[in-house]
Amino acid sequence: MNIRDAKYECMPREELEQLQLERLQATLNRAYKNVTFYRKMFHKSNVIPEDMQALSGLAKLPLTTQEDLRVNYPYGMFAVPLREVVRVHSSSGTTEKPVVVGYTRNDIKVWTNLVARVMTAAGVTRDDMVQITFSYGLYTGAFGFHYGAEAIGASVIPTGTGNTEKQIMIMQDYKTTALVSTPTYAITLAERMEKLGVNPKGLSLRVGLFGGEPLSEALRSEIETRLGISATDNYGLSEIIGPGVAGECEYKCGMHIFEDAFIPEIVDPLSGKQLPAGSTGELVLTTLTKEAFPMIRYRTGDITSLVYTPCNCGRTIARMAKTMGRSDDMLIIKGVNVFPSQIGAVLTAVVGAEAQYEIVVDRKGAQDLLEVHIEAAEGIFFDEMKRQKAFLEMVEKKIRSVIGVGAAVKLVAPNTIPRHERTTGRVVDKRMI
Ligand code: DLL
């Protein structure tokens, strides 16, 4: 079995919760003492860290948002003097000021071990040659996996981003066995190999660890088939630590969240209220071991759900489902929370990953109307009225069963939906216009 830290990953829940409570109390104390933002937050909610006598008490504290981090840019949320910080990274935000995060020496040690755990779960061992194609820089992806792989004893090939042909040459000559990249870059590599006449099955590559962006099941199977590897999904975010928050094991049935280091909660993206186990909503994370940059009830913006049943691999820690989009993309249609990615997933399943579509929301009187426009393409029977009708009805039924509200599905002529970069679906909410 591929488990690095069975003590923490397979702990009976009662013991795990006791450990979480003790670590939470220590984190709250540290944050209260050293971070003005948190001290004020405690005062506002009329709570002192000593009040936290049960994990259920966490829900009494307000949520922390990315906006709070921006207001405290760059070092306002640090809980240690800069002298104790040995590394800074920042989030990949492009437009506004990024979020700066810091690590003490011990934070780096803990982070390294968490990523080593994720990589072990994915099947990486000391016998692997790990090619890391993330950007070495402020982004947490490359350094996180780099240190994690070294801790396992694997050999790291720190190629960094770009230069795809050289990446492929290295993969061939250095006999890379594990690839670490974004799912998008794995497809770029597969395409370039095909162009160059390199047969991926002739390489030594056997596993791929993907993350930093969604890895849908369709994308996973495309990568697995084209590169001839086993692909796992890995989740993390800079504000919380980087990669090493959650990752899949060989069963690929949800990403195991390292609950000895983070407490996950699911909240309603609108009200911020905690939702019962099993619900879909926004993931909120609290760090339990971080010294330099503790995060208390941080809103990740990622929509997912949690399962607490033990996995076949033996781990007892919670598993998070693939993210279903960002809370800022959420639409409320007839009072129901709908994520465009849910509709996208239905269309990918019935039409294919290349389906071009548009989600149009409008209001007639007090009634919300939802339409999904799909561009006609090969295999969508544009000219055969009877088959077309049956197809549209089938898609309507599927969408209703997934999102819980009805949508009118229409076919539109090819190339009539405006494209935008990298994504195939777009949302037009006429209620806002
Ligand atoms: O992307 C950390 C990371 C690097 C994780 C490499 C895994 C592998 P940020 O740049 O702060 O950190 O971006 C974090 O990316 O809130 C999600 O919206 C998204 N994201 C990360 N991993 C996944 C994933 C890194 N496996 C933001 N599936 C997060 C879906 C993901 N979205």
Side-chain angles (χ1 to χ4, degrees):
M1 229 181 317
N2 307 321
I3 302 182
R4 183 174 165 90
D5 246 342
K7 176 174 174 224
Y8 293 121
E9 295 174 48
C10 308
M11 236 182 195
R13 183 136 294 269
E14 218 173 284
E15 261 177 61
L16 176 64
E17 288 184 354
Q18 184 55 35
L19 176 81
Q20 286 182 319
L21 182 59
E22 284 160 20
R23 291 184 169 179
L24 176 66
Q25 286 164 338
T27 299
L28 297 182
N29 272 316
R30 189 174 325 113
Y32 182 83
K33 242 179 36 211
N34 302 322
V35 185
T36 313
F37 167 83
Y38 285 125
R39 197 162 40 247
K40 282 191 188 150
M41 173 178 115
F42 274 94
H43 288 166
K44 248 197 250 156
S45 353
N46 274 327
V47 186
I48 51 165
E50 287 68 30
D51 292 342
M52 199 60 60
Q53 292 306 323
L55 288 176
S56 55
L58 191 57
K60 291 198 194 112
L61 294 176
L63 300 165
T64 305
T65 64
Q66 196 174 61
E67 184 51 29
D68 296 326
L69 308 193
R70 287 192 203 292
V71 170
N72 288 286
Y73 174 87
Y75 298 134
M77 301 294 280
F78 281 30
V80 296
L82 281 177
R83 152 172 31 96
E84 286 178 37
V85 170
V86 300
R87 176 100 63 82
V88 292
H89 278 290
S90 75
S91 69
S92 47
T94 44
T95 44
E96 296 173 63
K97 290 251 197 239
V99 169
V100 181
V101 299
Y103 303 75
T104 62
R105 196 171 296 286
N106 192 55
D107 288 335
I108 295 283
K109 210 167 114 195
V110 169
W111 183 26
T112 298
N113 194 46
L114 288 169
V115 183
R117 282 162 65 173
V118 157
M119 298 186 80
T120 304
V124 174
T125 70
R126 58 178 307 179
D127 296 326
D128 278 298
M129 297 290 303
V130 185
Q131 188 163 332
I132 298 178
T133 69
F134 286 133
S135 158
Y136 277 82
L138 287 170
Y139 186 57
T140 53
F143 282 101
F145 278 101
H146 186 114
Y147 276 57
E150 282 187 355
I152 290 175
S155 315
V156 176
I157 313 173
T159 49
T161 49
N163 212 341
T164 304
E165 287 190 18
K166 192 165 173 203
Q167 300 264 10
I168 294 170
M169 183 201 79
I170 288 173
M171 222 171 258
Q172 287 178 298
D173 296 349
Y174 300 11
K175 306 208 177 341
T176 304
T177 57
L179 169 69
V180 176
S181 81
T182 58
T184 318
Y185 194 58
I187 296 291
T188 303
L189 282 166
E191 279 168 358
R192 191 64 65 86
M193 282 185 203
E194 277 157 31
K195 253 198 208 139
L196 295 170
V198 174
N199 177 7
K201 317 255 152 76
L203 301 175
S204 308
L205 215 54
R206 56 175 202 89
V207 290
L209 285 85
F210 301 101
E213 61 182 30
L215 174 74
S216 65
E217 284 306 333
L219 196 52
R220 186 212 302 273
S221 70
E222 185 181 345
I223 293 172
E224 291 191 329
T225 316
R226 288 177 81 171
L227 288 180
I229 57 173
S230 167
T232 58
D233 195 0
N234 300 278
Y235 171 86
L237 63 166
S238 345
E239 297 91 321
I240 293 301
I241 207 160
V245 175
E248 284 178 331
C249 65
E250 69 268 31
Y251 291 96
K252 300 175 189 172
C253 53
M255 293 179 273
H256 292 283
I257 302 189
F258 294 130
E259 285 188 274
D260 51 305
F262 314 103
I263 297 181
E265 298 170 76
I266 296 291
V267 304
D268 181 315
L270 272 191
S271 66
K273 291 265 175 314
Q274 211 179 51
L275 293 173
S279 316
T280 296
E282 183 173 345
L283 178 68
V284 164
L285 290 168
T286 299
T287 64
L288 295 177
T289 56
K290 276 173 73 197
E291 294 174 343
F293 200 78
M295 280 285 102
I296 298 170
R297 302 199 81 207
Y298 182 66
R299 292 187 75 143
T300 64
D302 294 313
I303 304 297
T304 185
S305 58
L306 303 174
V307 252
Y308 286 87
T309 46
C311 176
N312 285 338
C313 68
R315 288 178 180 83
T316 51
I317 45 178
R319 281 169 284 155
M320 64 179 269
K322 288 190 175 303
T323 60
M324 290 176 16
R326 304 268 315 156
S327 55
D328 7 18
D329 297 337
M330 188 177 81
L331 297 164
I332 300 174
I333 300 170
K334 296 181 186 160
V336 178
N337 298 352
V338 173
F339 297 97
S341 57
Q342 294 176 297
I343 297 175
V346 171
L347 298 183
T348 302
V350 295
V351 187
E354 61 296 332
Q356 291 292 345
Y357 62 93
E358 183 174 54
I359 297 166
V360 182
V361 194
D362 205 350
R363 184 165 282 155
K364 203 169 172 193
Q367 186 79 338
D368 287 334
L369 300 173
L370 171 63
E371 283 188 7
V372 177
H373 301 165
I374 311 174
E375 265 188 16
E378 234 178 286
I380 310 191
F381 328 115
F382 198 49
D383 301 320
E384 287 177 59
M385 289 312 286
K386 214 166 134 205
R387 287 176 77 189
Q388 191 191 108
K389 192 162 167 267
F391 169 79
L392 294 177
E393 279 171 7
M394 180 269 290
V395 180
E396 282 176 359
K397 218 165 129 196
K398 287 213 155 122
I399 290 180
R400 177 187 277 281
S401 79
V402 170
I403 64 172
V405 284
V409 179
K410 296 184 176 163
L411 275 190
V412 297
N415 296 315
T416 50
I417 296 176
R419 307 286 196 261
H420 52 178
E421 255 182 64
R422 284 180 59 201
T423 51
T424 52
R426 69 174 213 137
V427 178
V428 183
D429 195 342
K430 294 187 177 163
R431 299 172 302 180
M432 324 275 259
I433 300 172

